[in-house]
Amino acid sequence: MHIAIIGAGISGLMTALELIEQGCSVTIFDQQQVGKAASWAGGGILSPMYPWRYDPAVNALAKYAKPLYQTWNEKLAPQTGIDFQIHETGMLIFDEDDFDIGLNYAKQHHEPLQHAEYIQREQLEQINPFIHKKYTHALYFPHLANARNPRVLQSIQRYLKQQPQVKILEHCPIEKLNIQKQKLISVTDLSGQTHHADAFVIAAGAWSKHWEKQLNIHIPVEPIQGQMLLFKTPENWLPTMCMNKVMYLIPRMDGHIVCGSSMRQVGFNLSLDENIKNNILDACFDMVPELAHFPIVQQWAGLRPSSPNGVPFIGQAPFIENLWFNFGHFRNGLCMGAASAKLLRQLMLNQTPLENPDAYSPLRLMS
């Protein structure tokens, strides 16, 4: 079976990986460059931030993130030479209002990777000596990890390019869906060229709404800008991820520290805002004052594909038998990405799904 995938972020690339493992051939279209939009811009935490604040359907997929990416990395890294750099730092959370629910979450929801410990100042200093002295206690999640998402995307892209059954078309926006009798026959790109396939997947993140008029359905996916910045410290300087009031610090193995993030509804605008930058810096220095001694080496913004309750649309499109959706992951595109793609592959090939697919069904768009 030949499958065309519209969108080459983490959702599209992981979907391609899953399908070629099952003997399918794929063509991947992206309006810009592979893996350069929201998937590249995120922090790479392999867990939702404060999972108890999310719909259970989000956590049902996110719980697979760490083991699935570890498995894929073991397969891909020897062939691509690019390691995902899955960094098992654990995380400290300082939001006192979340202590009780966070402490009990792992047991209540049978998610051992979310195991948390309540720690006080002496233990906090042993785990991370750079935390501001005003923090006398915290929740510590020892099993949480982050992946270096640009490297994840680079490795998957290189692997896919090595496969003869994969074709990747960058700077190739798909403009028209050619539908006949409830079947998608082909798609037409901006240059007017037509592309045929047996089945099609829309995995275009924040841009997925583009096709709602042609499909005659409402697609409630909107771009929400998130702003980030990057520090460079010595290698392995900051020992843990840190979180407070939805602001986070994510240490990479080489000493880079990703800091974020904001929420801003400004359409597809990627311009940086100085006030937001200062808010992020204030939050970072509040947690780790010594970070102010190190240089900022990069700043950027990405566009999250927001959806109602952050639950993605995964499955067959309404009324069209060979069109499938995999979009709307909001803040959790990377940590849901591997399981989302696996679930979609299982649905497309009539295999047993890893989770009940009803919660993600695009039929929700009809209600």
Side-chain angles (χ1 to χ4, degrees), residues 9 175 178 217 338:
E175 284 298 304
N178 303 308
I217 55 174

Side-chain angles (χ1 to χ4, degrees), residues 25-90:
S25 63
V26 301
T27 301
I28 308 169
F29 301 89
D30 199 89
Q31 63 181 347
Q32 299 170 5
Q33 289 177 282
V34 171
K36 292 294 185 182
S39 304
W40 178 91
I45 303 173
L46 297 181
S47 166
M49 301 186 300
Y50 315 99
W52 45 90
R53 299 185 186 181
Y54 283 95
D55 190 291
V58 171
N59 295 307
L61 293 182
K63 70 185 178 188
Y64 296 100
K66 184 177 172 183
L68 278 177
Y69 283 116
Q70 287 171 326
T71 300
W72 278 116
N73 193 37
E74 289 170 8
K75 179 180 175 64
L76 269 56
Q79 298 188 52
T80 66
I82 303 173
D83 187 86
F84 291 3
Q85 292 190 359
I86 296 171
H87 197 15
E88 298 189 7
T89 59

Side-chain angles (χ1 to χ4, degrees), residues 288-340:
V288 180
E290 287 187 46
L291 194 59
H293 300 150
F294 299 102
I296 298 171
V297 294
Q298 198 170 353
Q299 301 175 63
W300 66 90
L303 299 172
R304 308 181 187 94
S306 76
S307 58
N309 301 320
V311 178
F313 298 95
I314 305 168
Q316 188 174 356
F319 310 127
I320 301 179
E321 62 186 54
N322 64 332
L323 176 62
W324 302 79
F325 291 168
N326 188 9
F327 56 73
H329 296 74
F330 197 24
R331 301 190 72 144
N332 294 297
L334 188 83
C335 73
M336 279 195 280
S340 294

Side-chain angles (χ1 to χ4, degrees), residues 41-43 228-231 248-252 256-260 300:
M228 317 271 281
L229 50 88
L230 187 70
F231 283 89
Y248 54 72
L249 300 172
I250 306 170
R252 306 303 197 200
H256 283 100
I257 298 176
V258 180
C259 304
W300 66 90

Side-chain angles (χ1 to χ4, degrees), residues 71-115:
T71 300
W72 278 116
N73 193 37
E74 289 170 8
K75 179 180 175 64
L76 269 56
Q79 298 188 52
T80 66
I82 303 173
D83 187 86
F84 291 3
Q85 292 190 359
I86 296 171
H87 197 15
E88 298 189 7
T89 59
M91 179 181 284
L92 293 167
I93 289 182
F94 302 108
D95 302 79
E96 294 179 342
D97 290 346
D98 291 277
F99 279 9
D100 286 342
I101 191 168
L103 199 57
N104 297 307
Y105 181 84
K107 187 174 182 180
Q108 287 180 351
H109 296 272
H110 310 290
E111 290 191 36
L113 288 179
Q114 295 289 350
H115 166 73

